[in-house]
């Protein structure tokens, strides 16, 4: 049973629309992450958060924005979707070190912008 | 800096064949090491982990041993099944200073009946 939930699973949307991808976790993890996964499978970190009101940009530049108002919720927003935003988006959370338990991933949102 | 290098795929095997997916890493200190699996249309799932040198992680018939002398964490399974077809990612959790994991580029495994 998943402890981290992403909605929607699939989204097809027109160019210029504003979209929000939802991510929620029930594990009380402080750390949360957004990855963009290209068709070649490689994962690119686009945003992360180490706690409420803390957000940082990741290694790959992205036009998306995130917020972290509650521990359990880490939504990602695109103000104006473009075809170049078409991708799989994966949300993850972790308890962080020293527990070293690893990341827990959601099932992902596959976004297609037409 | 920290990095993870995985063997390129795709890897195609017949059912019951032996599997090895190579993973080597570069890191300072004593990172934790992980293998994740991604089935089609899904997110990544933690397959196994090792947190110190010589530890062996194991799960569902898969094994990997943390080798500090060769900076490796190769994934092995003695007899693969069609249901093992997926993408496998090696990952590293740095010792300190960041909670951001370093992921390999993924290796696609296809098992034929």
């Amino acid at each position: 049973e998943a402890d981290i939930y992403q909605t929607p699973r699939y989204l097809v949307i027109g160019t210029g629309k504003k979209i929000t991808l939802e991510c929620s976790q029930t594990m009380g993890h402080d750390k949360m992450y957004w990855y963009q996964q290209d068709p070649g499978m490689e994962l690119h970190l686009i945003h992360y958060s180490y706690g409420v009101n803390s957000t940082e940009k990741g290694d790959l530049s992205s036009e998306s924005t995130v917020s972290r108002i509650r521990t359990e919720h880490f939504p990602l927003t695109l103000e104006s979707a473009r075809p170049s935003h078409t991708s799989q988006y994966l949300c993850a959370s972790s308890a962080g070190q020293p527990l070293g338990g690893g990341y827990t991933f959601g099932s992902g949102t596959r976004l297609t912008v037409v | 800096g920290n990095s993870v290098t995985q063997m390129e795929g795709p890897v195609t095997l017949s059912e019951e064949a032996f599997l090895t997916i190579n993973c080597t890493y570069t890191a300072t200190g004593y990172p934790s090491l992980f293998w994740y699996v991604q089935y089609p249309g899904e997110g990544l799932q933690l397959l196994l982990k090792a947190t110190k040198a010589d530890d062996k992680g194991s799960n569902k018939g898969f094994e990997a041993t943390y080798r500090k002398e060769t900076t490796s964490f190769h994934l092995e399974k003695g007899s693969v099944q069609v249901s093992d077809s997926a993408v496998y990612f090696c990952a590293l959790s740095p010792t300190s200073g960041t909670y951001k994991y370093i992921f390999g580029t993924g290796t696609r495994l296809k098992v034929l009946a």
Side-chain angles (χ1 to χ4, degrees):
Chain A
E1 185 176 338
D3 295 313
I4 182 164
Y5 304 92
Q6 288 188 246
T7 58
R9 285 295 305 275
Y10 303 93
L11 179 61
V12 180
I13 201 163
T15 298
K17 299 292 187 183
K18 178 180 177 179
I19 58 171
T20 296
L21 307 185
E22 300 288 348
C23 176
S24 294
Q25 50 97 3
T26 59
M27 298 168 284
H29 286 169
D30 286 339
K31 284 75 177 175
M32 296 190 74
Y33 314 82
W34 276 104
Y35 284 85
Q36 187 173 335
Q37 186 173 29
D38 60 28
M41 308 174 300
E42 192 165 352
L43 298 166
H44 302 284
L45 180 67
I46 52 175
H47 298 283
Y48 62 99
S49 167
Y50 287 169
V52 171
N53 294 326
S54 157
T55 62
E56 301 286 344
K57 289 189 178 295
D59 304 321
L60 179 70
S61 177
S62 173
E63 294 166 346
S64 59
T65 59
V66 292
S67 62
R68 190 90 182 277
I69 299 172
R70 303 196 313 267
T71 297
E72 63 271 20
H73 194 213
F74 191 41
L76 180 145
T77 298
L78 275 166
E79 290 292 335
S80 179
R82 295 211 297 265
S84 60
H85 297 138
T86 294
S87 190
Q88 164 103 313
Y89 292 86
L90 295 170
C91 181
S93 71
S94 73
Q97 297 156 1
L99 298 177
Y103 284 9
T104 301
F105 281 85
S107 296
T109 294
R110 184 164 295 282
L111 172 66
T112 302
V113 183
V114 298
Chain B
N2 300 312
S3 67
V4 172
T5 302
Q6 271 183 254
M7 67 184 287
E8 289 191 18
V11 174
T12 303
L13 296 173
S14 298
E15 209 166 21
E16 300 183 3
F18 185 87
L19 168 71
T20 300
I21 300 178
N22 290 338
C23 172
T24 57
Y25 69 90
T26 302
T28 55
Y30 297 88
S32 295
L33 300 172
F34 305 85
W35 276 101
Y36 286 83
V37 58
Q38 185 177 31
Y39 298 103
E42 297 294 326
L44 279 69
Q45 302 173 26
L46 179 63
L47 181 59
L48 54 84
K49 67 177 182 179
T51 57
K52 61 182 187 296
D54 299 325
D55 265 3
K56 177 186 282 188
S58 61
N59 186 25
K60 299 180 181 179
F62 291 90
E63 294 183 339
T65 301
Y66 187 162
R67 303 281 189 202
K68 187 157 180 67
E69 64 277 11
T70 55
T71 62
S72 64
F73 193 55
H74 304 322
L75 182 68
E76 296 181 336
K77 187 176 186 183
S79 176
V80 294
Q81 305 301 312
V82 172
S83 57
D84 293 328
S85 298
V87 179
Y88 293 81
F89 291 89
C90 185
L92 174 159
S93 171
T95 305
S96 63
T98 177
Y99 298 100
K100 293 187 291 181
Y101 287 20
I102 309 299
F103 285 90
T105 53
T107 301
R108 185 179 301 278
L109 170 66
K110 185 173 183 179
V111 181
L112 305 176

